[in-house]
């Protein structure tokens, strides 16, 4: 397959674990230079050292809170002289799995702030540079929860529906340009996702993946890489990917 990613400059948000981290390694293997962001500075530095050691690509890192507009603006200013070819808005989380009547409002705010605000701030800041060069690819990591709602997932599902709607409008707003825009919408991927959702409750987290072979972060990173590596006239708008054992947000065929 032709490699169109060599020498590109890619920002990945939420690169300290899961899909973001795996994508960082796969993009580096393809020869892309990286700017990795996340909240955990030590993890970003470990990943950066490891990638730099294994490949010849440049890796920059920046630890900040993506839900804070001023911190996003500072980050943008710091790297404003690097033309950004690829922005992967991957940072996101689920906090809690509770019905509306009992869910914690703090959890809701955290999901809205990260999953929606972080993604729209980064897009708004980096899009003008892409438009000025008439070149760029924005890829937003959504979820099966962006296509359908499930019980006790109200605000997580709402944030991912928002990502979906925002991405489709964004595509229309840049439709007269060569900017590409896409979504990836995974079902059950075994990462730290469920440990975060259940606040460290290992038993609950493991039960999400029990009796099935879930997707891995590597499975999704490979798909993102494929999307990013298409020729300039090909824009994959969405990829909706589930484990073979999963048919919807709530229908999962478990063995045993
Ligand atoms: C992650 C998949 O089904 O837990 O976005 O919402 S799910």
């Amino acid at each position: 397959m032709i490699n169109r990613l060599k020498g590109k400059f890619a920002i990945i948000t939420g690169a300290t674990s899961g899909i973001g981290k795996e994508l960082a390694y796969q993009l580096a293997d393809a020869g892309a230079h990286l700017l990795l962001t996340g909240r955990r500075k030590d993890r970003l530095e470990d990943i950066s050292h490891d990638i730099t050691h294994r490949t010849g690509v440049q890796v920059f890192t920046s630890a900040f809170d993506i839900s804070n507009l001023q911190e996003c603006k500072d980050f943008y200013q710091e790297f404003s002289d690097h033309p950004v070819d690829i922005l992967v808005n991957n940072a996101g989380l689920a906090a809690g799995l509770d019905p509306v009547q009992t869910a914690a409002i703090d959890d809701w705010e955290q999901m809205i702030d990260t999953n929606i605000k972080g993604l729209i701030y980064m897009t708004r800041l980096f899009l003008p540079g892409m438009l000025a060069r008439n070149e760029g690819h924005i890829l937003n990591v959504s979820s099966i929860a962006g296509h359908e709602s499930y019980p006790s997932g109200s605000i997580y599902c709402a944030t991912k529906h928002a990502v979906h709607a925002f991405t489709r409008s964004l595509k229309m707003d840049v439709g007269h340009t060569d900017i590409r825009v896409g979504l990836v919408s995974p079902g059950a991927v075994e990462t730290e996702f469920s440990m975060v959702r259940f606040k460290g409750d290992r038993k609950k987290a493991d039960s999400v993946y029990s009796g099935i072979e879930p997707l891995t972060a590597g499975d999704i990173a490979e798909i993102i890489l494929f999307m990013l590596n298409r020729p300039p006239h090909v824009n994959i708008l969405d990829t909706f990917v589930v484990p073979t054992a999963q048919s919807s947000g709530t229908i999962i065929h478990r063995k045993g």
Side-chain angles (χ1 to χ4, degrees), residues 180-248:
R180 288 183 289 170
V181 174
L183 270 174
V184 60
S185 303
V189 185
E190 190 165 15
T191 59
E192 289 175 8
F193 177 85
S194 291
M195 279 294 274
V196 172
R197 167 170 261 174
F198 296 115
K199 299 164 189 179
D201 185 329
R202 166 63 63 192
K203 218 167 142 211
K204 275 193 187 168
D206 286 348
S207 72
V208 174
Y209 313 109
S210 74
I212 64 163
E213 184 168 351
L215 300 170
T216 65
D219 294 330
I220 301 303
E222 263 179 28
I223 290 163
I224 295 175
L225 211 76
F226 180 83
M227 294 167 79
L228 296 174
N229 196 37
R230 291 309 83 220
H233 69 288
V234 178
N235 186 129
I236 300 179
L237 265 179
D238 195 359
T239 44
F240 190 174
V241 193
V242 290
T244 304
Q246 181 173 25
S247 306
S248 77

Side-chain angles (χ1 to χ4, degrees), residues 86-108:
I86 295 165
L87 170 62
V88 180
N89 283 310
N90 166 70
L93 82 162
L97 185 67
D98 303 291
V100 172
Q101 53 272 32
T102 56
I105 290 182
D106 282 352
D107 285 348
W108 287 358

Side-chain angles (χ1 to χ4, degrees), residues 142-145 150 156-157 160 186-189 193-194 197 208 246 249:
S142 184
S143 166
I144 192 171
Y150 51 79
Y156 180 70
C157 296
K160 293 301 187 178
V189 185
F193 177 85
S194 291
R197 167 170 261 174
V208 174
Q246 181 173 25

